[in-house]
């Protein structure tokens, strides 16, 4: 072993060289760090050289790719001061490109002494038992010659205005898909199988967003109940892919083969024109609160990596609800995050990231700031330039709701869109059925037109555009689309928490009977209205201004049996089912048709916020609103809670000649409607949510036989939505 050349900021991690490896580990409060090399039962410890700016480093000859290793850190065991050094514990390298093995839930994996029940005093003495064999090994992976994507050829670079996101679980999407060979189901390779690609392209999505694929570990309380962390929001390694999602052959071949499978899937999806976004969790780790396991960051430098609340004895700050929070006031935490993002962008080749609890990433001593160094670094980093960056704009800390407050170039999940769509189509009719008042239409109208109230604030104003609003009605967290119309209450009993977990604010409506209804069910007559409600919600999502995000399986009526927090259900509750009943086939056909309308009509894909004025003087305004009688909305109408019907006319900017009319009736009764007068031309009915399937009506629409004149009277069914296209005069 020879000391590495002293550098102000050594390149962290283990990197293969022609002679061996260069090793660098951040552990600013440690007195020493050992690189531990494992060959069979033997462990060879190599002390790293003295620290430079808190980084211990060395060049170690003779080490090759595939070598299993770990770290042991020496230093003070002073839990009251935030220091938890225990060299008996083998630590995962935070920069490891691959992991071998899983975390055991045994006393050996805790830095402090615990009993068989894993309970103990986190401020008590250090546990002397060696954790080797109870924690994963880090594995050396040589990435020097792995080509990243050619920016000019290998990335789809889909504009935000054309983007349709499909949120999916890497395992759950394909595990039950019998079109795939059995060995590919539930794997990275399965994501790129032609059957899956054909489904995504046929549906009309442009990007698949994968729930976390960083290596993760399940929480001890889940393991105790015989459950697992299915969603993966419990990160163990920010560079290593989660090996369990790879094929058996890749897992047997080792971490390099797992990485190759991930890269191969990304490349194949790119070849099909699909972008790949990753849901990433940089706000916390799998080590839990102070009483949690001792696996990596806690043993290397707990005082630096984790935010503390300033109390004595030292207590972790928790704005994530997981027991710990990574401290983004620390340059080392920002560096770890940026290094990880660059790796997945440059080496794996992904096209963007969705940041879980992103407010945490922008917290400094004064709270959240959109000018936080983390966001500045992401916005200016060459490796991330042009990639899609999406914030989940909240956490559970003080001032944690920040929708609309992230800087350019971030887009954001729009929870206000979710709430408005659910309230208008489900919660309000449910209340009206019992004689109770609902919400006014103005909130839905604001969401349909791009949520300028949230995303229009910038310097200069309005620069972000509607694409910054990632619209969604459902996500992995909450009811599925089919469950929203079938359940008014969560049914999370399978989670083992007496149904206490999960949100109670679902804004759902069971249409009069709790749970799904079959042919023999006494309430089977409500099934058609439920299906219409699903179509209303899906159409609202994909036809609104902004970036729609579809949850995998919603296009086929997937149910979680009323579970709105299925994070621990790695079973058929969560997996996507591909055996479609007739109504699910009709729903899929409807989803495809609606996304085709979005794709073919520029008026439905606005790049800029609407002004209500013409693009060209004397022409139609870019956006206009009318009531059921075809009268333009005024201030009083917007504030009248009795109004549940509106018409939205949107016109694309030149050189496009495209105008689309959305007719929305959210009342429990059919409405006599006078079609909005749009200064010439005829309205052609392109879709009606009353249609169970667009199959027959679609051909009529294409042939132009479903025409109506502006000002013509028609009847719009209760709780329904129509799309008209203006034929060019």
């Amino acid at each position: 072993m020879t000391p590495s050349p002293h550098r102000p900021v050594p390149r962290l991690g283990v990197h293969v060289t022609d002679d061996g490896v260069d090793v660098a580990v951040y552990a600013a409060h440690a007195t020493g760090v050992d690189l531990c090399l494992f060959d069979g039962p033997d462990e060879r410890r190599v002390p790293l050289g003295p620290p430079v700016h808190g980084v211990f480093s060395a060049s170690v000859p003779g080490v090759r790719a595939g070598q299993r290793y770990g770290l042991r850190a020496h230093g003070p065991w002073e839990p009251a001061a935030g220091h938890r050094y225990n060299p008996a514990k083998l630590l995962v390298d935070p920069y490891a490109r691959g992991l071998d093995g899983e975390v055991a839930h045994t006393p050996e994996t805790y830095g402090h002494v615990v009993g068989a029940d894993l309970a103990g005093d986190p401020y008590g003495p250090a546990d002397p038992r060696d954790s080797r064999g109870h924690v994963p090994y880090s594995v050396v992976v040589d990435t020097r010659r792995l080509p990243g994507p050619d920016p000019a050829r290998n990335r789809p670079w889909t504009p935000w205005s054309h983007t349709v996101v499909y949120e999916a679980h890497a395992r759950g999407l394909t595990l039950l898909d019998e079109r795939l060979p059995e060995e590919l189901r539930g794997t990275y390779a399965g994501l790129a199988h032609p059957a899956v690609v054909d489904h995504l392209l046929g549906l009309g999505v442009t990007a698949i967003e994968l729930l976390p694929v960083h290596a993760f570990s399940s929480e001890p309380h889940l393991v105790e109940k015989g459950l697992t962390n299915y969603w993966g929001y419990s990160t163990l390694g920010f560079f290593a892919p989660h090996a369990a999602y790879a094929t058996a052959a890749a897992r047997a071949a080792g971490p390099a083969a797992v990485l190759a499978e991930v890269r191969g899937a990304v490349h194949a999806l790119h070849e099909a024109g699909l972008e790949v976004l990753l849901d990433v969790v940089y706000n916390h780790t799998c080590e839990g609160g102070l009483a949690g396991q001792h696996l990596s960051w806690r043993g290397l430098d707990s005082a630096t990596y984790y935010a503390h609340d300033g109390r004595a004895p030292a207590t972790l700050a928790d704005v994530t609800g997981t027991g710990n929070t990574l401290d983004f006031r620390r340059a080392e935490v920002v560096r770890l995050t940026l290094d990880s993002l660059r790796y997945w962008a440059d080496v794996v080749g992904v096209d963007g990231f969705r940041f879980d609890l992103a407010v945490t990433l922008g917290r400094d001593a004064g709270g959240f700031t959109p000018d936080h160094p983390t966001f500045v670094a992401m916005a200016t980093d060459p490796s991330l330039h042009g990639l899609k960056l999406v914030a989940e704009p909240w956490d559970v800390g003080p001032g944690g709701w920040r929708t609309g407050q992230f800087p350019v170039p971030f887009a954001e999940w729009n929870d206000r869109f979710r709430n408005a769509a659910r309230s208008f189509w489900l919660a309000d009719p449910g209340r009206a059925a019992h004689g109770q008042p609902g919400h006014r239409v103005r909130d839905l109208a604001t969401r349909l037109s791009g949520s300028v109230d949230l995303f229009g604030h910038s310097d200069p104003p309005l620069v972000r555009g509607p694409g910054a609003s990632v619209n969604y009605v459902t996500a992995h967290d909450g009811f599925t689309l089919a469950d929203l119309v079938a359940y008014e209450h969560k049914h999370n009993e399978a989670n083992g928490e007496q149904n206490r977990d999960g949100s109670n604010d679902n804004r759902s409506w069971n249409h009069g009977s709790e749970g799904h209804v079959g042919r023999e069910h006494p309430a089977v007559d409500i099934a058609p209205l439920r299906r219409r409600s699903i179509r209303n919600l899906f159409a609202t999502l994909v036809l609104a201004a902004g970036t729609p995000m579809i949850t995998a399986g919603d296009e086929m009526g997937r149910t979680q049996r009323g579970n709105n927090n299925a994070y621990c259900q790695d079973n058929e509750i969560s997996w996507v089912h591909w055996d479609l009943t007739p109504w699910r086939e009709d729903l899929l056909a409807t989803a495809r048709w609606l996304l085709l309308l979005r794709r073919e009509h520029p008026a439905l894909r606005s790049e800029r916020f609407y002004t209500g004025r013409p693009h060209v003087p004397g022409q139609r305004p870019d956006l206009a609103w009318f009531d059921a009688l075809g009268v333009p909305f005024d201030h009083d109408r917007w504030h009248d809670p009795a109004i549940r019907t509106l018409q939205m006319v949107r016109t694309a900017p030149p050189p496009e000649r495209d105008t689309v009319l959305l007719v929305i009736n959210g009342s429990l009764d059919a409405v006599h409607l006078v079609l909005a007068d749009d200064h010439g031309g005829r309205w052609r009915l392109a879709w009606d949510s009353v249609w169970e399937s667009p199959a027959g009506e679609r051909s009529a629409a294409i042939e132009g036989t479903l025409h109506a004149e502006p000002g013509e009277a028609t009847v719009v069914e209760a709780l329904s939505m129509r799309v008209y296209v203006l034929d060019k005069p």
Side-chain angles (χ1 to χ4, degrees):
M1 184 271 291
T2 58
S4 292
H6 283 190
R7 300 187 297 267
V9 184
R11 190 165 61 127
L12 295 175
V14 176
H15 301 277
V16 178
T17 68
D18 291 339
D19 300 323
V21 293
D22 285 341
V23 183
V25 178
Y26 183 86
H29 294 89
T31 58
V33 176
D34 296 335
L35 173 69
C36 306
L37 304 172
F38 298 94
D39 296 295
D42 299 326
E43 175 180 350
R44 177 165 67 100
R45 299 189 184 183
V46 180
L48 301 185
V52 177
H53 296 285
V55 177
F56 294 79
S57 62
S59 293
V60 185
V63 177
R64 298 289 179 256
Q67 173 71 56
R68 295 185 304 165
Y69 72 98
L71 304 169
R72 296 186 189 272
H74 304 264
W77 178 263
E78 297 175 355
H83 304 308
R84 312 181 72 88
Y85 290 100
N86 185 344
K89 307 304 171 182
L90 185 68
L91 305 176
V92 169
D93 177 7
Y95 278 74
R97 269 49 173 173
L99 298 179
D100 178 19
E102 298 181 358
V103 174
H105 293 83
T106 59
E108 289 85 354
T109 61
Y110 290 76
H112 59 285
V113 176
V114 300
D117 60 354
L118 307 183
D121 179 6
Y123 297 104
D127 182 84
R129 289 168 288 190
D130 198 326
S131 65
R132 179 187 175 184
H134 301 270
V135 296
Y137 295 105
S138 304
V139 179
V140 176
V141 178
D142 188 357
T143 62
R144 290 176 298 171
R145 296 177 179 84
L146 296 181
D150 183 333
R153 295 187 300 110
N154 297 132
R155 291 194 192 275
W157 294 115
T158 306
W160 275 112
S161 59
H162 288 72
T163 296
V164 179
V165 178
Y166 188 82
E167 187 199 41
H169 190 282
R171 170 175 161 84
L173 179 63
T174 64
L175 197 62
L176 298 179
D177 193 344
E178 295 184 354
R179 299 171 301 173
L180 276 63
E182 188 171 357
E183 65 272 14
L184 296 185
R185 297 175 198 168
T187 70
Y188 296 119
L191 294 171
H193 187 275
V196 178
V197 171
D198 288 347
H199 176 78
L200 297 176
L201 295 178
L203 180 59
V205 302
T206 67
I208 183 169
E209 179 179 302
L210 297 176
L211 268 66
V213 297
H214 289 172
F216 63 87
S217 177
S218 293
E219 294 85 339
H221 76 90
L222 291 178
V223 175
E224 182 182 2
K225 297 173 185 174
L227 300 171
T228 61
N229 188 320
Y230 172 67
W231 288 348
Y233 292 90
S234 188
T235 308
L236 177 61
F238 294 116
F239 295 79
H242 193 61
Y245 297 160
T247 58
R251 295 197 306 271
V258 172
L259 175 60
E261 184 174 314
V262 177
R263 296 179 72 252
V266 171
H267 178 74
L269 291 166
H270 283 172
E271 290 292 303
L274 293 164
E275 293 183 313
V276 180
L277 313 181
L278 298 185
D279 194 335
V280 287
V281 187
Y282 294 110
N283 58 80
H284 74 280
T285 78
C286 68
E287 291 186 308
L290 280 181
Q293 291 173 291
H294 194 101
L295 305 173
S296 180
W297 307 271
R298 176 164 287 146
L300 290 172
D301 202 329
S302 181
T304 295
Y305 280 116
Y306 290 121
H308 290 68
D309 60 10
R311 298 180 186 178
T315 305
L316 295 179
D318 180 14
V319 298
T320 66
T322 68
N324 71 65
T325 300
L326 286 173
D327 191 350
F328 281 85
R329 297 171 299 180
R330 305 284 191 171
E332 195 53 46
V333 174
V334 176
R335 174 161 62 157
L336 173 68
T337 301
L338 267 293
D339 285 347
S340 172
L341 293 172
R342 294 187 197 103
Y343 177 76
W344 287 92
D346 293 341
V347 176
V348 183
V350 302
D351 305 285
F353 305 90
R354 178 266 189 190
F355 297 93
D356 180 64
L357 300 183
V359 167
T360 300
L361 281 60
R363 285 187 178 273
D364 58 19
F368 174 81
T369 172
D371 298 323
H372 193 281
T374 305
F375 302 143
V376 174
M378 291 179 187
T380 57
D381 191 282
S383 293
L384 305 182
H385 180 69
L387 301 191
K388 289 183 167 66
L389 306 178
V390 181
E392 182 183 39
W394 51 80
D395 65 15
V396 300
W401 187 82
R402 297 286 178 166
T403 305
Q405 299 178 37
F406 279 72
V408 174
F410 282 84
E412 302 174 42
W413 275 25
N414 189 349
D415 55 313
R416 292 280 292 274
F417 183 97
R418 174 200 63 200
N419 293 347
R422 291 186 182 190
S423 293
F424 184 85
W425 288 116
L426 299 177
D428 286 355
R431 291 170 59 85
H434 294 88
Q436 298 174 333
H439 295 78
R440 291 166 288 189
V441 296
R442 65 174 187 167
D443 192 23
L444 180 70
T446 303
R447 305 307 145 217
L448 284 169
S449 55
S451 297
V452 67
D453 61 327
L454 297 174
F455 302 101
H457 305 286
S458 59
D459 185 14
L462 308 180
V463 71
R464 298 176 75 187
S469 175
V470 177
N471 299 332
Y472 68 104
V473 175
T474 68
H476 65 275
D477 186 4
F479 279 147
T480 66
L481 202 55
D483 287 353
L484 277 174
V485 306
Y487 296 92
E488 289 191 13
H489 308 285
K490 64 188 181 185
H491 295 268
N492 299 351
E493 291 80 7
N495 296 356
E497 299 182 40
Q498 292 75 51
N499 206 34
R500 294 192 299 265
D501 62 306
S503 175
N504 292 313
D505 182 18
N506 295 298
R507 307 188 187 209
S508 56
W509 180 34
N510 64 18
H511 295 71
S513 180
E514 187 77 353
H516 289 276
V517 299
R519 294 180 184 177
E520 307 301 323
H521 195 282
V524 67
D525 57 326
I526 65 175
L529 184 55
R530 283 182 172 182
R531 295 195 293 268
R532 188 189 304 177
S533 292
I534 291 175
R535 295 190 291 269
N536 289 333
L537 287 165
F538 195 91
T540 301
L541 171 63
V542 302
L543 301 180
T547 303
M549 185 186 78
I550 301 164
T551 304
D554 271 354
E555 76 278 16
M556 300 180 289
R558 183 176 75 90
T559 176
Q560 291 181 169
R561 307 171 195 168
N563 193 318
N564 75 349
N565 189 34
Y567 77 104
C568 56
Q569 299 298 326
D570 188 2
N571 51 50
E572 293 200 9
I573 290 177
S574 297
W575 303 336
V576 174
H577 291 253
W578 295 87
D579 50 339
L580 302 185
T581 57
W583 83 266
R584 290 185 169 92
E585 290 179 345
D586 288 343
L587 178 58
L588 178 57
T590 296
R592 289 170 172 165
W593 177 240
L594 289 169
L595 283 165
L596 179 63
L597 288 177
R598 175 186 172 85
R599 192 160 61 250
E600 291 186 341
H601 289 283
L604 297 172
R605 295 183 278 101
S606 178
E607 296 183 6
R608 298 191 180 111
F609 287 116
Y610 298 104
T611 65
R613 298 187 296 271
H615 295 291
V616 177
Q619 300 297 316
R620 303 180 185 89
D622 58 1
L623 175 66
W625 299 96
F626 302 87
D627 66 10
L629 298 178
V631 176
F633 261 78
D634 56 20
H635 180 273
D636 291 340
R637 285 183 175 85
W638 284 124
H639 291 271
D640 185 349
I643 292 180
R644 297 284 296 169
T645 305
L646 70 162
Q647 303 183 66
M648 178 188 195
V649 180
R650 294 152 68 180
T651 299
E656 304 290 349
R657 299 181 61 196
D658 187 48
T659 298
V660 174
L661 164 65
L662 303 185
V663 175
I664 295 171
N665 178 21
S667 72
L668 295 178
D669 300 308
V671 171
H672 291 272
L673 183 116
V674 177
L675 288 173
D677 186 353
D678 201 68
H679 313 293
R682 292 189 304 168
W683 293 119
R684 173 167 51 86
L685 181 62
W687 180 74
D688 191 326
S689 68
V690 173
W691 301 346
E692 288 283 354
S693 169
E697 291 83 355
R698 170 180 172 177
S699 61
I702 292 174
E703 293 167 5
T705 59
L706 300 178
H707 280 105
E709 300 294 335
E712 182 176 321
T714 184
V715 176
V716 180
E717 293 296 327
L719 298 177
S720 68
M721 183 173 179
R722 288 182 182 177
V723 181
Y724 289 91
V725 176
L726 188 71
D727 278 349
K728 302 174 182 61

